[in-house]
Amino acid sequence: MDPYLKPFENDVQRRYGLFKKQLTLLEEAEGGFDQFTRSYKSYGVQRMPDNSLVFKEWAPAAEALFLTGDFNGWDNFSHPYTKKEFGKWELHIPPKEDKTPAVTHNSKLKVVVHTRAGERLYRISPWAKYVTRHEKSVIYDWVHWDPPQPYIHKHPRPQKPRSLRIYESHVGIASPEGKVASYSNFTHNVLPRIKDLGYNCIQLMAIMEHAYYASFGYQVTSFFAASSRFGTPEELKELIDVAHSLGIIVLLDAVHSHASKNTEDGLNQFDGSDSCFFHSGPRGEHSLWDSKLFNYSSWEVLRFLLSNLRWWLEEYRFDGFRFDGVTSMLYHHHGIGSGFSGDYAEYFGLQVDEDALVYLMLANHILHTLYEDCITIAEEVSGMPNLCCPVQEGGLGFDYRLAMAIPDKWIQILKEFKDEDWDMGNIVHTMTNRRYGEKCIAYAESHDQALVGDKTLAFWLMDKEMYTSMSALIPMNSVIDRGIQLHKMIRLLTHSLGGEGYLNFMGNEFGHPEWLDFPRVGNNESYHYARRQFNLVDTDRLRYWQLYAFDRDMNRTEDKYGWLAAPPANISVKHQGDKVIVFERANVIFIFNFHPTNSYSSYRVAVGPPGKYKIKLDSDGIQYGGHGRLDHNTEFFTEPMEFKNLPNSMLVIGIVFIIDY
C-alpha cells in the first residue's frame, strides 16, 4: 500500500466494505451481477421467439404509460403499459396475423407518459437502441432497430496489447470534406491510416447519441444508441470488426459522469419528475456543464449504467472504455473551484461522493471479471490515490489513468518560456511524476488542445507560417525549422518517458493546421473546421508528411522494443545548461538535445548494458524534415567507465536516439 495512505487505512477498508455490500445485494436481489448487467435484454423493447414484443420501462413517478407510433397510427391510448412493482411498467404486443412483429424494423415509436400532475409527455425509451433526427427537426425520434439481416462479426478480438498506443478519434470529423463523415468512411479510409501509423488501439469519441453535435459527444441523450448521424448500428459494428481484423482494439468514450438536460429526447424527467435517473434539486445539476448528474445510489440507475457498459461490449464488441469526467464523479464539488494540492486529506472525507466511487469500483470489477482483457482508462485530474489499483486491494480498479499534467506542461512552456529558458529538470519531473504502480497514458496533446479557443502544439510552434511555409519544395524558414524539430522531440519524449501508454488525437500526428470547431450559431453552422485534412499527408510536397512519417516510425520502433511496457526509465542526465536529457528504458538509450543553438560532439552518456550501439530512430533524419547530420552507419561502443552511477558509458555525437545493437 502507498505509505501515505496509512492514516486513511480505515477509509479505504470502509470503501471496500461498501463495494462488497453492493455485490452481496446484487447476488441476493438479482442473482448476481451477470444477470443484472444483461438488463438490456429485458428493458426497452424485446422480440420474443414467437415474434411477440415486450416493452418494459422504469418510470416510478408516472401515473400511466402508453406506447404510440407508426404501428398504431400514433394512437396515444390504444396500447397501455401495465404497472408492476418498484416503478416498473410492461406492455406485451402479440404478433400480427401473419406472425410478423406488430412493430416493424425502422418504424418510429414514442412512450406517452401521464404524470400525476395531469401532464401528457412524449418520451424516448432510455433503452432505445437507435434514434434519428429528421433534417428539419430539432427533436430525435426513437426508431425500432431490428434488421432482418443483422451484422455478424467475423473476426475475434485481438489480444490485449502489451504496449497501448491510442489513436483518439471522432468519426464525424474524420474526413477532409466539410460534412459529417460516416462510419463507413472511417472503416475504409481512416483505419488503414491508423494501422500504417502503428497505433494498436482506437478510442472512439461521440458514439453514444448526443443531440447537440458541438458537444463533442459529452452531452449524451441516448446511452444505448450509436449516433445515427454517422450511419447505422450495423455500420459501426463493421468498423469495429474491421479494426479487429487489423489487430487494433477499440475503446468507447463512456460518459457516465453526467447527461444532457434534454427531456423529449433525453433521460431528463423521463417520468415527469426530476429524480428518475438523477439527483433531485441542486445536487442533480452540474453548474459548469449545464447537465444532469446521476444518482449512483439508486438501484435502477446502477442497473441502467452497468448494463450500458455490458451492452457496448456484447453488442458492438468494444474492447473497453475511457471513462470521461471521473473527477466530477468522485467529488460532491465536482472539481469546480477546487485546486488539488496533493494533500491526501483531499481524497477522503465528506467531499467524496462515495456512491459514485463505489459505482466505479463495481463497474471495473464486473468488466474485468466478465472480460479478462477489458481495458478501462480514467480521465481524472485530482490524483485520487488507488485509482488504478485492483478493487480487491481497495482501489477503484482502472487499468490506466490519463497523465493530464503533461499536455498542460507543454502548453505552459510554449506559451511562457523562450527556448533557452526551458527547465529540463521540471520537464522530466512532469513526465515522471506519477503514482508508483499505477499506469498512465501519456500524451502531448489530445482533442482538448485542438478545440477552438486553444491551440495544438503545431500551431503554438508555427502559427500562421503553417499556411504559407510548409512546402517541401522550398527551404525551411527558422519558424518552420524550429517547429518541426520540437514537434517531433516533444512527442518522442512524452512517448518514451511519460507513461505506460501513449495517446494521440487524430491528425495531430502530422501537425494538423488550424483548430477544431463544430457547426454552431457562432460560426454560421460551418463545417470548415469540423474536419481533419488527411489530404495534407497524401503528398510529399508538404512537410506534414514528414511529421506523419516520424510519428509512424516512432510507434513502429516502440512496437519492436516495447518501452511502454517496461519499468520506468533510468534518467542519467537532465542538464540545464546543455539542455540535454538522457535516459534508458527497455535497454533503449534516449538522448535529447533541446538547446536552441548548441550541438555537441563526444558527449558522454551513461549506459547500463555493455556492448555496441547503433542509431535506430533519429529526429534529425531528412525523411522527417531534419537536416541529416548523423551517420547511421556509426557504431558506438561502451567503455567500462562508471558514469552517473551506471557501470558503463560511451561517447555520442549530436541529437540522437539509439538502441542496443
Side-chain angles (χ1 to χ4, degrees):
M1 178 184 283
D2 180 345
Y4 291 100
L5 281 174
K6 192 65 179 173
F8 305 97
E9 187 173 0
N10 290 337
D11 294 87
V12 174
Q13 291 177 347
R14 184 175 51 78
R15 289 176 176 179
Y16 183 71
L18 293 172
F19 158 75
K20 291 290 289 184
K21 181 180 178 181
Q22 283 285 42
L23 276 186
T24 302
L25 289 173
L26 282 173
E27 191 68 40
E28 292 174 351
E30 303 282 347
F33 61 73
D34 185 24
Q35 188 65 29
F36 188 64
T37 57
R38 292 182 187 272
S39 293
Y40 58 83
K41 292 190 172 184
S42 55
Y43 282 73
V45 55
Q46 309 296 328
R47 179 163 55 84
M48 299 293 105
D50 65 352
N51 278 341
S52 62
L53 297 171
V54 178
F55 294 80
K56 185 175 182 180
E57 302 294 347
W58 176 63
E63 186 68 26
L65 254 64
F66 298 85
L67 185 71
T68 188
D70 292 334
F71 78 103
N72 67 357
W74 295 95
D75 188 319
N76 290 335
F77 301 100
S78 63
H79 288 79
Y81 285 71
T82 301
K83 189 172 185 178
K84 303 291 184 180
E85 58 183 353
F86 308 119
K88 313 285 177 59
W89 299 81
E90 286 189 10
L91 166 63
H92 294 252
I93 303 179
K96 294 189 286 190
E97 289 185 5
D98 62 1
K99 304 301 182 184
T100 59
V103 180
T104 58
H105 168 62
N106 233 5
S107 58
K108 293 179 181 179
L109 296 165
K110 287 279 188 185
V111 178
V112 184
V113 179
H114 288 241
T115 70
R116 292 167 187 169
E119 296 176 289
R120 184 192 301 168
L121 309 174
Y122 295 90
R123 296 290 187 254
I124 289 176
S125 168
W127 302 80
K129 308 301 193 298
Y130 189 56
V131 296
T132 63
R133 182 179 66 85
H134 189 273
E135 187 177 348
K136 295 183 179 180
S137 174
V138 175
I139 305 300
Y140 273 73
D141 293 307
W142 174 18
V143 175
H144 180 50
W145 191 258
D146 187 16
Q149 295 180 316
Y151 185 84
I152 305 298
H153 289 89
K154 304 175 183 69
H155 304 284
R157 298 178 190 268
Q159 288 188 331
K160 188 176 182 178
R162 62 169 187 161
S163 299
L164 204 58
R165 301 183 299 274
I166 304 171
Y167 199 76
E168 186 184 31
S169 304
H170 185 290
V171 170
I173 65 172
S175 167
E177 299 179 61
K179 65 178 185 180
V180 178
S182 66
Y183 296 124
S184 294
N185 167 73
F186 197 96
T187 301
H188 298 108
N189 297 320
V190 183
L191 286 181
R193 294 182 186 272
I194 297 172
K195 177 65 175 177
D196 179 63
L197 280 163
Y199 291 94
N200 57 16
C201 175
I202 299 167
Q203 178 184 302
L204 280 183
M205 310 172 64
I207 295 299
M208 294 177 173
E209 190 60 271
H210 47 292
Y212 184 42
Y213 189 41
S215 74
F216 223 139
Y218 293 120
Q219 294 273 345
V220 177
T221 44
S222 290
F223 283 75
F224 286 82
S227 182
S228 60
R229 58 169 55 87
F230 312 134
T232 69
E234 310 313 298
E235 290 166 340
L236 174 58
K237 291 173 187 177
E238 181 186 23
L239 185 163
I240 295 169
D241 197 26
V242 173
H244 286 168
S245 76
L246 298 173
I248 299 171
I249 64 172
V250 187
L251 307 182
L252 175 69
D253 209 346
V255 187
H256 282 188
S257 48
H258 65 131
S260 167
K261 276 187 170 180
N262 288 19
T263 54
E264 285 192 61
D265 54 8
L267 290 182
N268 192 20
Q269 299 180 28
F270 173 68
D271 64 354
S273 74
D274 70 343
S275 59
C276 187
F277 287 92
F278 310 111
H279 289 291
S280 62
R283 190 180 175 188
E285 306 278 340
H286 197 294
S287 60
L288 195 62
W289 295 343
D290 192 30
S291 55
K292 299 295 293 183
L293 297 171
F294 286 105
N295 178 3
Y296 302 103
S297 67
S298 165
W299 192 260
E300 294 303 322
V301 170
L302 290 180
R303 182 194 304 280
F304 181 80
L305 294 177
L306 292 172
S307 296
N308 186 237
L309 297 174
R310 187 84 182 268
W311 160 258
W312 291 107
L313 292 183
E314 289 281 345
E315 184 72 13
Y316 289 91
R317 301 195 69 183
F318 279 95
D319 301 287
F321 302 95
R322 178 259 201 191
F323 281 77
D324 179 69
V326 171
T327 303
S328 176
M329 297 174 70
L330 290 176
Y331 303 96
H332 291 296
H333 53 62
H334 310 298
I336 301 172
S338 299
F340 294 95
S341 67
D343 185 339
Y344 274 47
E346 296 171 344
Y347 306 126
F348 299 91
L350 296 178
Q351 67 267 30
V352 177
D353 187 338
E354 291 191 335
D355 293 330
L357 185 143
V358 170
Y359 163 69
L360 291 170
M361 294 174 75
L362 279 171
N364 277 304
H365 171 75
I366 291 169
L367 290 172
H368 290 108
T369 301
L370 295 174
Y371 310 94
E372 185 179 357
D373 286 344
C374 180
I375 294 172
T376 59
I377 301 171
E379 188 220 20
E380 206 285 304
V381 73
S382 77
M384 170 69 76
N386 274 8
L387 187 77
C388 298
C389 291
V391 173
Q392 60 268 28
E393 295 178 13
L396 273 69
F398 286 98
D399 295 294
Y400 299 87
R401 70 194 312 157
L402 292 177
M404 300 180 73
I406 293 177
D408 291 344
K409 174 56 64 177
W410 286 125
I411 295 299
Q412 180 201 18
I413 289 171
L414 294 176
K415 285 174 66 174
E416 299 178 9
F417 296 97
K418 297 177 181 178
D419 294 1
E420 57 267 26
D421 295 331
W422 287 24
D423 187 331
M424 298 296 104
N426 184 253
I427 291 172
V428 169
H429 172 74
T430 302
M431 293 290 157
T432 58
N433 183 27
R434 50 190 185 270
R435 298 193 185 282
Y436 181 78
E438 296 195 40
K439 294 188 288 187
C440 288
I441 301 294
Y443 58 107
E445 54 186 341
S446 70
H447 69 272
D448 289 324
Q449 287 71 41
L451 285 169
V452 63
D454 207 335
K455 288 184 179 181
T456 63
L457 291 178
F459 229 50
W460 278 113
L461 289 164
M462 295 175 279
D463 207 68
K464 65 180 184 296
E465 293 291 326
M466 297 182 75
Y467 293 113
T468 58
S469 305
M470 286 296 278
S471 172
L473 303 179
I474 59 174
M476 289 184 287
N477 63 33
S478 59
V479 173
I480 296 297
D481 192 2
R482 169 185 177 269
I484 284 179
Q485 312 320 322
L486 285 177
H487 191 271
K488 293 177 291 187
M489 293 174 68
I490 286 170
R491 296 170 76 82
L492 178 57
L493 183 62
T494 303
H495 200 303
S496 54
L497 189 60
E500 291 69 38
Y502 178 76
L503 178 142
N504 164 67
F505 178 63
M506 63 189 312
N508 286 356
E509 70 277 0
F510 62 84
H512 194 285
E514 301 180 329
W515 51 90
L516 180 61
D517 191 13
F518 287 89
R520 53 188 173 85
V521 174
N523 64 12
N524 294 318
E525 303 295 339
S526 172
Y527 285 87
H528 180 73
Y529 296 109
R531 59 193 179 119
R532 296 277 92 179
Q533 298 180 59
F534 292 116
N535 55 299
L536 295 175
V537 298
D538 292 337
T539 172
D540 58 6
R541 295 182 179 182
L542 296 175
R543 296 193 183 278
Y544 298 105
W545 163 251
Q546 297 166 344
L547 295 177
Y548 177 100
F550 182 79
D551 198 80
R552 176 198 64 204
D553 291 351
M554 175 176 69
N555 282 323
R556 291 181 180 181
T557 307
E558 195 288 326
D559 188 59
K560 182 175 181 180
Y561 298 105
W563 60 72
L564 287 171
N570 183 358
I571 301 159
S572 57
V573 176
K574 41 185 177 180
H575 197 290
Q576 181 61 16
D578 293 345
K579 293 288 187 283
V580 169
I581 296 170
V582 182
F583 57 91
E584 179 273 327
R585 191 175 184 189
N587 293 325
V588 179
I589 310 297
F590 296 84
I591 305 172
F592 295 85
N593 176 9
F594 282 98
H595 203 288
T597 58
N598 291 355
S599 292
Y600 304 101
S601 61
S602 301
Y603 202 92
R604 185 166 294 278
V605 299
V607 181
K612 178 174 66 176
Y613 287 73
K614 291 195 71 174
I615 298 171
K616 292 295 180 179
L617 184 66
D618 173 15
S619 67
D620 197 42
I622 292 174
Q623 69 273 35
Y624 308 137
H627 299 279
R629 289 169 288 197
L630 301 179
D631 182 359
H632 286 211
N633 293 317
T634 303
E635 296 177 339
F636 303 87
F637 294 89
T638 62
E639 303 172 70
M641 180 186 298
E642 184 175 340
F643 189 64
K644 302 289 184 181
N645 298 317
L646 288 175
N648 301 289
S649 61
M650 62 184 176
L651 294 175
V652 298
I653 303 170
I655 313 166
V656 297
F657 155 65
I658 55 184
I659 185 125
D660 193 9
Y661 183 61

